[in-house]
Amino acid sequence: AFSSLKSPADITVLSQSYIFRSIINTLAVSYTRRGVTHRDLLFGLENGGVLSLVKFFVDPRRPLAPSANQAEGLLPYLPELPYNPLSLVNYNQSVACVRRIQSVPSGLESTSLVFAHGLDLFFTR
């Protein structure tokens, strides 16, 4: 039984640091209707891009060294986050001075609506 008088079992704290090759102005998370589809991190970059990055790249459970027993299909930890220009949701349209990114579920499960604003406005599905 739980007692606040007894010290808790050993607590394991997992944390990792990351490097990104561009300056990040804002950060948001994508949402879907029922939450079945994985979430993406949405970065508002200083150069006007809105980058989508799959959330498992920043999972603190990623092992420091590759092992033969990789449970849950976790990738080995790398401090530098990947920057793939094909992951820019605004393609060749820049959003000047991105201040905020808002994501809301759409009517379909695998899609979400993304709105980025700053000096410019950008909306996509």
Side-chain angles (χ1 to χ4, degrees):
F2 175 77
S3 172
S4 60
L5 300 175
K6 295 180 183 176
S7 63
D10 292 340
I11 297 173
T12 303
V13 177
L14 302 174
S15 68
Q16 295 173 348
S17 299
Y18 298 97
I19 302 168
F20 196 70
R21 64 180 250 183
S22 180
I23 296 173
I24 299 170
N25 286 344
T26 187
L27 179 68
V29 179
S30 66
Y31 295 99
T32 57
R33 187 174 186 183
R34 293 197 169 94
V36 175
T37 305
H38 62 80
R39 293 183 177 178
D40 287 354
L41 296 173
L42 301 168
F43 295 99
L45 306 177
E46 185 182 48
N47 64 3
V50 177
L51 182 80
S52 175
L53 183 69
V54 181
K55 195 175 174 183
F56 66 73
F57 280 114
V58 294
D59 190 343
R61 299 175 298 145
R62 290 173 62 183
L64 295 176
S67 64
N69 184 16
Q70 285 192 344
E72 302 179 34
L74 296 172
L75 298 172
Y77 168 71
L78 294 171
E80 186 172 350
L81 292 175
Y83 180 88
N84 184 357
L86 297 175
S87 296
L88 289 170
V89 297
N90 58 340
Y91 307 106
N92 62 352
Q93 302 171 354
S94 63
V95 182
C97 299
V98 180
R99 289 192 193 124
R100 188 166 181 208
I101 299 173
Q102 184 69 37
S103 172
V104 294
S106 69
L108 302 172
E109 171 52 36
S110 61
T111 59
S112 63
L113 305 174
V114 176
F115 179 69
H117 66 88
L119 292 178
D120 294 328
L121 304 174
F122 177 77
F123 178 77
T124 189
R125 177 171 60 131

